[in-house]
Amino acid sequence: MSSELTPDALYDKCHALAGNLWWTWHPEVINLFRDLDPIRWRQLDHNPIALLKEFTPERLASRAAEMVLYSRINHAFRRLKEYLASSNTWYASQAGVLGSKPVAYFSAEFGIHESLPIYSGGLGVLSGDHIKSASGLGVPLVAIGLFYDQGYFKQQLDENGFQVEEYMDTKVENLPMKPALSKEGKPITVGIDTRNGRLLAKVWLMRVGRVDLYLLDCDVEGNSPQDRELTSRLYGGDERTRIRQELVLGVGGVKALKALGISPGVYHLNEGHSAFATIEVIREKMHEDGMSFDDALRETAQHSVFTTHTPVPAGHDRFDAALIEEHLGPLRDAIGISYEQLLGLGRVEPHNDAESFCMTVLGLKLSRRANAVSQLHGHVSRRMWAHLWPWRVEEEIPIGHITNGVHVPSWLAHQMRQLYDRHFPSDWIHSMGEADPWQKIHDVDPGELWETHVALKNLLIEFVRRRVSRQARRRGEPDEAVETARNLLDNGVLTIGFGRRFATYKRATLLMSDLDRLLELLNNPARPVQLIFAGKAHPKDEPGKKFIQAIANARHDPRFNNRIVFIEDYDINVGRHMVQGVDVWLNNPRRPLEASGTSGQKVVLNGGLNLSVLDGWWAEAYDGQNGFAIGKGTNHVSDEITDARDGEALFDVLENQVISTYYQRDVDDLPRAWIKRMMNSIGSLAWRFSAHRMVMDYTRSCYVPAAGGLSCDMQMR
Ligand SMILES: *Cc1c(COP(=O)(O)O)cnc(C)c1O
């Protein structure tokens, strides 16, 4: 059985598997790591490198023999090698023109896995999903980000339900990264000059399947003690920290590519944080290709793609002139433009001194192709930025849209994956961005689909009990409270999940707006409802923290009958359990502030149904049969009226559609009409809102034309 593999060779194979984040979307490899030591696996945040450190090659070999893991390890290792070597990809078959000039994808955060805390939320998870799909499709792409050694905060609630933030040091040696090497084989440090001295950053390399992810890190000798902490925390510090981080990401990122010997054909700026990159690209073109400033600017714009992610004003970074001059001054000297010209690049009205420098404006001005992240967000963004093109009518504003999607293998539960494998065409995972394979869902036996869903719901309930009882124990609560937590929730009860940032526009407490009506729903003896909440508030968002408190403290109020639970520390792991196990995913933002949203797309894959305001992706996804809509997608004159109307609409649809359909059972106790909706949801939405479809759209309508290939500017007006 256990082949001739020596303990050392076995150990090396496990390390190779842990060293490429490809494993994060392969459940058979995840299960393999878990089987090595299930308890430590959980305690170590599902980090295989940390786990392997606890084994000697000999102990690993004996554990592998005991658990019959040899052939699984060999098989996984072979698959990884084949994956990395294969050139038989969607991109290759499209005869793309990018070739040796890859897309450079810049993002301030990457959410790839819970063991890698370099993301805070939706933007990061989207970037992670984007590069995973680029890997799967074979799109030549390198990614640039920052390495935050403390990441984003860990959330705990105190006895009053108030959020407490804690930052933890990440152990670099436990992460799958190594120093990136230059053409000459040397570790790379880039230097960025400011009016105030030089800022240094070293460069790490992480492998995400076929994609190389480079992360810049200011914790290097030669930086001041303060600058060594510059990239410690995601979205920490003040405006000055922020601009310095963005300088490192944008300008430092372009310099790092240069040092690596990579010359990109396209620069994709995912959100404004990285928009300074364009100015460094202009400098390169002037100094290396001898272009004039105007030509270099035009060329840079031709090769740049900009994606805007939010209509919320606070989501658009703005800096005052002094900060811009301090940090971009040497660069503007190098390209020979004036102080006013530089500031003009970040202003709607170039000469308006009252206007601060906006990173979104810079991104829009210096990219020929720009897009929003859903159809509705496209309309909103064109209206929002129309004054940048005052001579154009709104329909001609050059901002298109490519709706966000999620990386299917990362968010699909193993059990559901097995169900699809049984019923879909054998190579469905390679065409998951297309409609065809998914239509097979309508041939699946309703009982089989329902049983799989119920099994996943059970796993979620177990997870909630484990987490909430641990929370209670940590707070030193009495034994009865811990015991109550161990028995929370009921598998037979309609379960609604709400997991997202607690930004106030997302209105986490909308259900609390009519307490009597809510209590009636929760405690209806024949058709009860239970709610699972999770989410972090930004450390400075006091109203958001109050929302958390209101929900978390429901457990002290006997009227709620323990039917509302709050799980601390929402992250990719908590999110994954929730989207895989809920019956219904609730999304009730104040329209049209949710640019896209992606968590509901993850729910689709696993058979849950969306109950959402017609905002973001749901406005173009909902067809009447594939989930539920709150309201009719109208806007009201004031927030107060909107909130009141939406609150009523939410209760109406819950009472009249959601709850009644869920509890309507046939003789086999199957909710036939509900299951039909699950199938409609999977069949009509899973492929359209997949990251594979999204990356194919970016490739066809942005990357290829920006690289100078045949222009097929479909949606890019
Ligand atoms: C998917 C995801 C998000 C984004 O979801 P939204 O619908 O935009 O709220 C945020 N955080 C985590 C951890 C996620 O997995």
Side-chain angles (χ1 to χ4, degrees), residues 515-536:
L515 213 51
D516 292 338
R517 225 167 148 184
L518 174 62
L519 290 170
E520 216 163 286
L521 291 189
L522 299 178
N523 298 317
N524 182 317
R527 310 190 307 180
V529 174
Q530 58 197 10
L531 300 164
I532 304 173
F533 284 88
K536 296 175 180 176

Side-chain angles (χ1 to χ4, degrees), residues 119-122 125 411 499-501 506 570-572 575 585 594 597-600 602:
Y119 68 94
S120 75
V125 173
W411 296 105
R500 45 181 44 86
R501 270 189 312 128
K506 293 181 188 251
Y570 184 59
D571 67 354
I572 287 178
W585 192 248
E594 193 65 86
T598 54
S599 51
K602 303 165 191 167

Side-chain angles (χ1 to χ4, degrees), residues 210-466:
R210 300 181 179 107
V211 168
D212 289 339
L213 167 59
Y214 295 101
L215 299 172
L216 286 88
D217 178 356
C218 287
D219 186 13
V220 286
E221 240 170 82
N223 274 342
S224 70
Q226 209 183 355
D227 284 338
R228 290 190 75 148
E229 291 181 7
L230 182 59
T231 50
S232 283
R233 294 179 180 183
L234 198 50
Y235 307 137
D238 55 9
E239 224 177 293
R240 199 180 146 76
T241 308
R242 190 81 176 224
I243 193 172
R244 290 169 85 77
Q245 284 189 343
E246 297 188 0
L247 189 72
V248 173
L249 175 63
V251 176
V254 174
K255 286 177 183 284
L257 289 169
K258 182 85 203 163
L260 288 158
I262 296 170
S263 104
V266 178
Y267 296 86
H268 185 171
L269 312 171
N270 189 45
E271 191 51 296
H273 310 120
S274 58
F276 290 141
T278 53
I279 303 179
E280 173 64 12
V281 175
I282 291 176
R283 191 198 61 79
E284 275 189 358
K285 291 192 189 300
M286 293 175 68
H287 283 237
E288 283 155 32
D289 306 334
M291 288 187 195
S292 67
F293 172 74
D294 288 341
D295 286 347
L297 187 144
R298 207 170 305 120
E299 269 290 302
T300 300
Q302 164 60 29
H303 293 285
S304 300
V305 176
F306 177 71
T307 304
T308 175
H309 283 271
T310 180
V312 178
H316 299 265
D317 280 323
R318 290 178 176 278
F319 298 113
D320 63 43
L323 276 178
I324 292 290
E325 174 61 14
E326 179 188 344
H327 293 96
L328 279 298
L331 193 48
R332 95 171 160 74
D333 291 345
I335 59 179
I337 61 171
S338 68
Y339 175 76
E340 289 74 23
Q341 263 177 303
L342 173 66
L343 290 176
L345 294 175
R347 287 177 178 159
V348 175
E349 296 171 51
H351 303 292
N352 180 357
D353 283 338
E355 201 182 319
S356 52
F357 187 101
C358 176
M359 297 301 276
T360 308
V361 173
L362 177 66
L364 288 171
K365 284 192 174 182
L366 286 181
S367 308
R368 255 213 51 204
R369 289 169 183 80
N371 69 284
V373 292
S374 72
Q375 191 175 40
L376 179 60
H377 181 225
H379 289 293
V380 173
S381 299
R382 283 190 288 280
R383 197 170 321 140
M384 186 165 173
W385 298 106
H387 45 306
L388 263 175
W389 296 272
W391 59 91
R392 293 194 180 189
V393 295
E394 195 174 303
E395 296 71 44
E396 287 173 6
I397 298 300
I399 303 176
H401 79 271
I402 291 178
T403 305
N404 286 342
V406 295
H407 184 246
V408 174
S410 292
W411 296 105
L412 182 58
H414 195 29
Q415 293 85 335
M416 200 58 88
R417 168 79 185 261
Q418 288 172 322
L419 180 141
Y420 295 161
D421 284 345
R422 285 196 294 277
H423 295 278
F424 289 11
S426 61
D427 65 341
W428 77 272
I429 205 78
H430 297 292
S431 42
M432 60 187 142
E434 286 151 39
D436 278 0
W438 296 94
Q439 302 322 306
K440 287 277 180 221
I441 191 66
H442 295 287
D443 301 340
V444 173
D445 172 51
E448 186 185 350
L449 181 59
W450 185 247
E451 268 172 36
T452 307
H453 167 68
V454 170
L456 290 171
K457 186 169 164 183
N458 268 326
L459 290 179
L460 168 61
I461 291 175
E462 277 174 35
F463 177 78
V464 170
R465 290 173 176 175
R466 205 162 54 229

